[in-house]
Amino acid sequence: MPNSALLDVEGLSVAFQGRPAVEGISFHINEGETLGLVGESGSGKSAASLAVLRLLPPTATVSGRIRFSGEDLLALPEEAMRRHRGRSMAMIFQEPMTALNPVMPVGAQIAEAVRAHHPELSGRDVRERVVEAMREVALPEPERRFSDYPHQFSGGQRQRILIAMAIVNRPRLLIADEPTTALDVTVQAQILALLNRLRASHNLSMLFISHDLAVVSQVADRVAVMQHGHIVEQAPAAQLFCSPQHAYTRRLLASAPTMQTDRTRPLATLA
Ligand SMILES: Nc1ncnc2c1ncn2[C@@H]1O[C@H](COP(=O)(O)OP(=O)(O)O)[C@@H](O)[C@H]1O
Ligand SMILES: [Mg+2]
């Protein structure tokens, strides 16, 4: 495990009221690298990522070690953790509509994210940063749409707004938990292209979570496969796709419809 890893997770376990959800997983993410975390629903992907940000409910018990930029996150006081969240590490979720406040203009919501970490900035500077972030995620006419409400945007645009909110403070690590699952295939491809562009332009490290190996294959440098709370296989993306070692990985590959070239065949689903 390289010392230079931005995020280094060792033996992470999460249990909810004694029921294990994540059992001793280890992974790391280097500077500028994207790790794909893939596995079927309920395998513990979200629990693992929420543990990194320390956003799990108090009913969860967490053990192991999580180092971010050399700092031991599980030992940090909450106040220090709050300074990391939304600044050096940010998260985007699956459902853009529930993550946005329906009665607040989108520009104001992104501005809140800026102000939370930069109270020293003037209103004008905040607005400038917000418009810049909206432009970076390719939202059309950011100045004009700054004052529009979430319902005035399409699903794909709402996800762009959340991505703008996540990157506006220039985080080093972006955790994306099923960011395209609620979107149709065309829009999904556009959002993945956007994330790939941002990765390159911001030198972002990314933990990209999906149940869909085909989606993961479009962004990840390395892939960790999760099953029942364990990482059963971890490999560079190309290697994992060419020669999967674990039976479960092979099943995931076989059930990833968008990776099949023969679209006339019926779509397989996970048992
Ligand atoms: N807040 C919670 N309280 C109790 N159990 C939970 C909670 N969140 C997740 N779990 C359980 O932990 C396991 C892993 O869930 P999760 O991490 O959400 O899986 P995934 O993201 O891979 O679909 C599941 O069995 C789920 O029911
Ligand atoms: Mg999940």
Side-chain angles (χ1 to χ4, degrees):
M1 189 140 317
N3 291 327
S4 60
L6 178 65
L7 180 71
D8 187 359
V9 172
E10 239 187 275
L12 174 67
S13 295
V14 178
F16 295 99
Q17 279 135 341
R19 297 233 328 268
V22 175
E23 299 189 74
I25 67 169
S26 298
F27 63 86
H28 70 276
I29 305 178
N30 292 322
E31 202 81 53
E33 185 183 45
T34 293
L35 177 72
L37 188 59
V38 70
E40 66 201 332
S41 175
S43 54
K45 307 181 297 296
S46 295
S49 64
L50 291 171
V52 171
L53 290 175
R54 287 194 14 204
L55 286 173
L56 286 166
T59 52
T61 47
V62 179
S63 63
R65 215 192 55 186
I66 303 171
R67 285 187 172 279
F68 177 75
S69 195
E71 229 174 356
D72 181 357
L73 291 190
L74 292 181
L76 279 187
E78 177 55 28
E79 178 55 33
M81 197 59 214
R82 211 173 304 132
R83 278 196 298 272
H84 274 305
R85 270 188 230 117
R87 184 164 187 175
S88 50
M89 33 175 128
M91 183 147 187
I92 49 177
F93 298 94
Q94 174 173 345
E95 203 18 89
M97 208 48 197
T98 53
L100 287 167
N101 181 345
V103 297
M104 192 191 243
V106 298
Q109 294 188 54
I110 305 172
E112 266 192 356
V114 178
R115 280 201 200 90
H117 293 284
H118 296 284
E120 78 283 359
L121 289 180
S122 70
R124 195 185 153 154
D125 287 345
V126 171
R127 192 188 164 98
E128 219 162 75
R129 284 199 191 191
V130 172
V131 167
E132 162 77 12
M134 289 172 79
R135 196 169 284 126
E136 279 183 308
V137 300
L139 275 164
E141 303 179 82
E143 277 99 352
R144 192 175 69 76
R145 305 223 55 192
F146 188 94
S147 312
D148 283 351
Y149 291 86
H151 74 266
Q152 294 171 283
F153 293 86
S154 69
Q157 287 175 332
R158 284 197 287 266
Q159 192 57 287
R160 285 176 196 271
I161 291 162
L162 284 184
I163 295 171
M165 208 181 287
I167 60 150
V168 72
N169 290 322
R170 304 258 176 257
R172 298 172 71 191
L173 176 69
L174 182 65
I175 298 181
D177 191 353
E178 307 265 7
T180 63
T181 302
L183 306 171
D184 73 52
V185 177
T186 315
V187 179
Q188 176 170 295
Q190 293 163 359
I191 296 292
L192 293 175
L194 169 65
L195 288 174
N196 273 329
R197 228 174 32 244
L198 291 172
R199 268 185 73 179
S201 58
H202 289 228
N203 191 33
L204 264 179
S205 301
M206 191 154 73
L207 177 61
F208 186 95
I209 298 172
S210 177
H211 67 284
D212 187 341
L213 198 44
V215 169
V216 167
S217 74
Q218 293 172 57
V219 289
D221 302 306
R222 277 185 303 117
V223 179
V225 180
M226 250 186 120
Q227 183 186 30
H228 305 317
H230 297 269
I231 289 180
V232 295
E233 180 166 4
Q234 199 167 169
Q239 188 182 320
L240 188 106
F241 297 120
C242 295
S243 56
Q245 297 299 303
H246 198 278
Y248 179 67
T249 310
R250 277 183 227 124
R251 266 209 292 146
L252 278 180
L253 271 172
S255 69
T258 43
M259 292 183 76
Q260 291 171 359
T261 44
D262 181 5
R263 290 177 193 277
T264 59
R265 276 169 52 198
L267 301 183
T269 46
L270 263 189

